[in-house]
Amino acid sequence: METKAVLAALGALSQESRLNTFRLLVRTGPQGLAASKIGEQLDIAPSSLSFHLKELTNAGLIEPRQEGRFIIYSANFDTMNGVLSFLTDNCCGGQSCAPSSTIKSCKP
């Protein structure tokens, strides 16, 4: 993953509402959630939420899709895994820093 893309993702996650939104979508999995459900669960006003969703989308961390009259947002696990891989690429001189039994896959 390119440094510029990682910086965009980390920048997008550096705000509390966006971080909470992304974490909610990761927990939800590939089926995602409608914007209205995200707003309800996180108590974020629609106008603020649309700004935060746009920032996360522009950073490649979430993906919108149209379902009927709703836009459903889901986490982009490829981008998330790319950021994690970038951050840990040189960890411990190329050796795993944790026992293999504690390493979890981030794919749903």
Side-chain angles (χ1 to χ4, degrees), residues 22-49:
F22 182 71
R23 292 185 74 211
L24 172 64
L25 292 173
V26 167
R27 283 191 307 274
T28 301
Q31 70 270 16
L33 287 172
S36 59
K37 295 293 183 190
I38 296 168
E40 287 171 14
Q41 289 190 32
L42 298 177
D43 195 28
I44 301 174
S47 59
S48 293
L49 181 61

Side-chain angles (χ1 to χ4, degrees), residues 1 13-14 28-29 34 36 45 49 53 63-64 70-71 82 85 97 107:
M1 187 167 202
L13 293 172
S14 68
T28 301
S36 59
L49 181 61
L53 292 170
E63 297 176 331
F70 298 101
I71 298 176
S85 177
C97 295
K107 289 265 183 188

Side-chain angles (χ1 to χ4, degrees), residues 15-107:
Q15 197 280 339
E16 185 176 5
S17 293
R18 290 193 292 270
L19 180 60
N20 290 339
T21 299
F22 182 71
R23 292 185 74 211
L24 172 64
L25 292 173
V26 167
R27 283 191 307 274
T28 301
Q31 70 270 16
L33 287 172
S36 59
K37 295 293 183 190
I38 296 168
E40 287 171 14
Q41 289 190 32
L42 298 177
D43 195 28
I44 301 174
S47 59
S48 293
L49 181 61
S50 95
F51 170 76
H52 294 310
L53 292 170
K54 178 183 70 91
E55 292 295 311
L56 290 167
T57 300
N58 288 341
L61 289 165
I62 65 173
E63 297 176 331
R65 69 179 184 277
Q66 190 81 38
E67 284 189 12
R69 56 177 230 211
F70 298 101
I71 298 176
I72 306 299
Y73 293 88
S74 57
N76 182 333
F77 291 97
D78 289 336
T79 299
M80 181 183 78
N81 286 329
V83 170
L84 293 171
S85 177
F86 181 91
L87 292 173
T88 60
D89 187 41
N90 295 313
C91 179
C92 301
Q95 302 298 313
S96 176
C97 295
S100 61
S101 62
T102 64
I103 298 173
K104 298 178 183 176
S105 172
C106 293
K107 289 265 183 188

